[in-house]
Amino acid sequence: MPPRKIIIDTDPGQDDAVAILLALASPELEVLAITAVAGNVPLDLTQKNARIICELADRTDIPVHAGCDRPLARKLVTAEHVHGKTGLDGPTLPDPVMPLSGGHAVDAIIDILRREPTGSVTLCPLGPLTNIATAFQRAPDIIERVQQIVLMGGAYFEVGNITPAAEFNIYVDPEAAAVVFASGIDLVIHSLDVTHKALTSRARVEAFRDLGSPVGKAVAEWTDFFERYDKEKYGSEGAPLHDPCVIAYLLKPVLFTGRRINVEVEVDSPLTRGMTVADWWGVTDRPANALFIGDIDDAAFFDLLTERLARL
Ligand code: BDR
Ligand code: CA
């Protein structure tokens, strides 16, 4: 089977970095482009971090485009308190030498979707949905050309991580999320309900380090860095590897379970802005628009991740 074509839209972020490495290590996937968006840290850092990650994986052939530097209608909120000042705090990695690809990320998304056969490109958003929503607003013809959107964002039973009600990626740009959730595209949503079950442990981090490669070392050191925040906040043994769930789902969907339900985004309420209102119990007649993932085989997920990272 030919590899599945994907675009990774991202705001790296240590967990974004692990997701990107997992994709680059996996022959089942062809990464057509990495498109950076403002999120965990401002755009000048997320686009730089995306190039650092490609260089770490020795994949300077991947086009990296810089995209939107702020949400559609709001001031940017960032998460240095989780990811550190650079967004990739932890290991010391060299500044990238590979250049940014010319052209705005939004134009790259539009061009790729128009160029590739209809239904052959999957979008993998790992950050706020600003680039994706802007592309849909600017070029509505591309919407029907998208094969699927598999994203990290939202929360329902697990409630919020940036406010009591909202998960970070959706909170940062709820208007963009609303556009994407209403697009009619087949959505697979990896919310905190599942990512908070993809927890690192000492043994899992040491397995990364034991790979003995620059990639294994970097992943272990990234994880060491961002673990401190979640361990303190949740009292958990480790930290959730949110964004790699998206890529692992593409590789092995059997590791995940969920329900096809309606999911809508709250955009107006100051108290619950960015909340993903998931009709898990089917109490409305709103049509299902997403597969909302709720569970993961976490042991198999970490085995897959470690086995793939070993290839880089
Ligand atoms: C999401 O927010 C970011 O901090 C992570 O990279 C992940 O995409 C988790 O809420
Ligand atoms: Ca992210």
Side-chain angles (χ1 to χ4, degrees):
M1 233 183 30
R4 183 166 178 179
K5 295 174 182 178
I6 65 171
I7 297 173
I8 301 179
D9 189 71
T10 177
D11 62 337
Q14 293 90 348
D15 62 318
D16 302 69
V18 180
I20 292 167
L21 292 172
L22 177 59
L24 295 180
S26 297
E28 302 93 328
L29 301 176
E30 180 183 354
V31 181
L32 298 179
I34 296 177
T35 52
V37 68
N40 287 321
V41 285
L43 181 69
D44 57 336
L45 289 171
T46 59
Q47 56 87 354
K48 177 180 168 192
N49 291 346
R51 290 180 292 135
I52 290 175
I53 298 156
C54 288
E55 288 194 0
L56 177 66
D58 207 10
R59 289 299 303 275
T60 52
D61 57 307
I62 306 285
V64 175
H65 297 268
C68 300
D69 64 358
R70 73 197 72 167
L72 294 186
R74 300 180 188 270
K75 218 169 144 268
L76 178 66
V77 174
T78 52
E80 286 87 356
H81 59 295
V82 183
H83 300 275
K85 226 166 123 75
T86 66
L88 274 190
D89 278 22
T92 307
L93 294 169
D95 276 353
V97 176
M98 72 179 273
L100 260 183
S101 289
H104 194 281
V106 168
D107 294 322
I109 292 167
I110 295 170
D111 291 348
I112 291 170
L113 282 164
R114 285 182 177 159
R115 173 189 86 203
E116 297 292 336
T118 296
S120 70
V121 177
T122 293
L123 302 179
C124 300
L126 309 178
L129 289 154
T130 321
N131 284 344
I132 308 288
T134 306
F136 289 173
Q137 286 177 332
R138 204 173 290 169
D141 59 289
I142 63 172
I143 293 175
E144 63 174 30
R145 304 183 69 84
V146 177
Q147 181 179 23
Q148 196 174 41
I149 297 181
V150 184
L151 66 86
M152 192 283 136
Y156 191 63
F157 293 102
E158 194 66 8
V159 299
N161 61 357
I162 185 77
T163 74
E167 179 279 330
F168 179 78
N169 289 342
I170 307 297
Y171 177 77
V172 171
D173 199 342
E175 284 78 11
V179 167
V180 171
F181 283 34
S183 66
I185 296 170
D186 181 16
L187 293 178
V188 181
I189 298 178
H190 290 263
S191 75
L192 299 181
D193 292 1
V194 62
T195 68
H196 277 183
K197 294 172 182 158
L199 284 184
T200 58
S201 66
R202 225 4 45 209
R204 288 168 175 175
V205 176
E206 293 316 317
F208 296 143
R209 207 182 321 269
D210 288 348
L211 294 175
S213 60
V215 164
K217 184 168 175 284
V219 170
E221 291 179 14
W222 280 326
T223 320
D224 282 342
F225 178 84
F226 78 78
E227 264 189 352
R228 92 214 175 285
Y229 175 81
D230 288 280
K231 278 164 130 173
E232 195 176 308
K233 180 172 171 190
Y234 298 109
S236 51
E237 195 202 338
L241 278 184
H242 306 280
D243 295 339
C245 289
V246 165
I247 305 298
Y249 175 83
L250 297 177
L251 299 171
K252 276 201 177 181
V254 292
L255 301 186
F256 298 87
T257 51
R259 284 189 192 180
R260 273 209 65 79
I261 59 169
N262 176 271
V263 186
E264 312 259 338
V265 181
E266 174 58 58
V267 290
D268 293 323
S269 157
L271 198 58
T272 60
R273 165 157 69 90
M275 182 177 180
T276 45
V277 179
D279 188 7
W280 185 260
W281 300 112
V283 293
T284 73
D285 54 11
R286 296 196 282 262
N289 60 345
L291 176 63
F292 196 79
I293 303 293
D295 216 344
I296 181 174
D297 178 343
D298 61 317
F301 166 79
F302 276 92
D303 286 349
L304 173 71
L305 191 52
T306 311
E307 181 260 309
R308 291 307 168 97
L309 294 177
R311 300 182 187 194
L312 293 174

